[in-house]
Amino acid sequence: MKHSLFGIFLLVLILGLEGFNPKEASAEQQSILEMYAISHGGSTGISPPLGATIDDQSFGGGTAKARLRFETAQDAGRLSLKVWRRVRSGEFVFALLVFQIDVRGYDDQGQLVYSTSPEPFSFGDSASGFWSANLEDLPPDIQKIEIVFYGNYE
């Protein structure tokens, strides 16, 4: 009787863990630190070049700042991303941890035409820091670009 109960317990445990993928679970649990979207109307081939800038004075609701610059042209687009903070001597601030960054570009039909994930970054406890990424040669038909930073302050 003891052996059959143990066998049933082991079978239930194995079946329960079979569908568990720790990588998927951690991706689902990542919190969005900040999300930005820039879009424009019209057809990229007909519209004049576009330049749009977002300045965020409280990146992720914390002590860092961010600047995003999206530019379109007839032949290609480009995206500049910057995040920084300056911590004064003796000032205590939490570490900024960015685990993942997703950049997605969509055409006027809502179809994904560009996707990349720049390298993540972090600024330590009470530490200043600077991070940037310049993405060149984006498809000229991007009508909407979304940038999502996953992470937290801790």
Side-chain angles (χ1 to χ4, degrees):
M1 181 79 169
K2 287 183 180 178
H3 292 294
S4 70
L5 285 177
F6 179 73
I8 292 171
F9 172 76
L10 189 57
L11 181 62
V12 169
L13 182 63
I14 290 170
L15 291 175
L17 291 177
E18 185 175 290
F20 179 72
N21 182 339
K23 191 172 187 178
E24 287 178 14
S26 67
E28 292 172 6
Q29 294 173 355
Q30 283 187 1
S31 61
I32 294 177
L33 182 64
E34 197 65 74
M35 178 187 220
Y36 304 97
I38 300 172
S39 62
H40 63 94
S43 169
T44 321
I46 299 171
S47 298
L50 167 79
T53 302
I54 295 176
D55 283 318
D56 186 344
Q57 299 300 309
S58 181
F59 177 78
T63 56
K65 298 179 182 198
R67 175 171 289 142
L68 295 78
R69 175 90 179 141
F70 178 54
E71 299 172 320
T72 64
Q74 295 294 332
D75 56 345
R78 117 180 135 171
L79 179 66
S80 170
L81 306 169
K82 296 177 182 172
V83 178
W84 71 94
R85 76 171 176 197
R86 182 176 174 275
V87 178
R88 292 175 184 83
S89 179
E91 185 178 12
F92 176 79
V93 294
F94 291 108
L96 167 58
L97 308 172
V98 175
F99 306 118
Q100 181 176 335
I101 305 162
D102 291 334
V103 178
R104 306 285 181 260
Y106 301 90
D107 67 11
D108 61 349
Q109 301 298 309
Q111 297 296 310
L112 182 68
V113 294
Y114 180 80
S115 175
T116 191
S117 295
E119 285 294 315
F121 63 94
S122 63
F123 305 153
D125 285 332
S126 301
S128 297
F130 180 83
W131 171 87
S132 70
N134 291 308
L135 308 174
E136 305 283 337
D137 297 323
L138 277 66
D141 59 341
I142 291 179
Q143 297 256 223
K144 179 180 181 183
I145 195 151
E146 295 177 342
I147 304 97
V148 181
F149 291 85
Y150 297 91
N152 61 42
Y153 285 90
E154 59 176 57

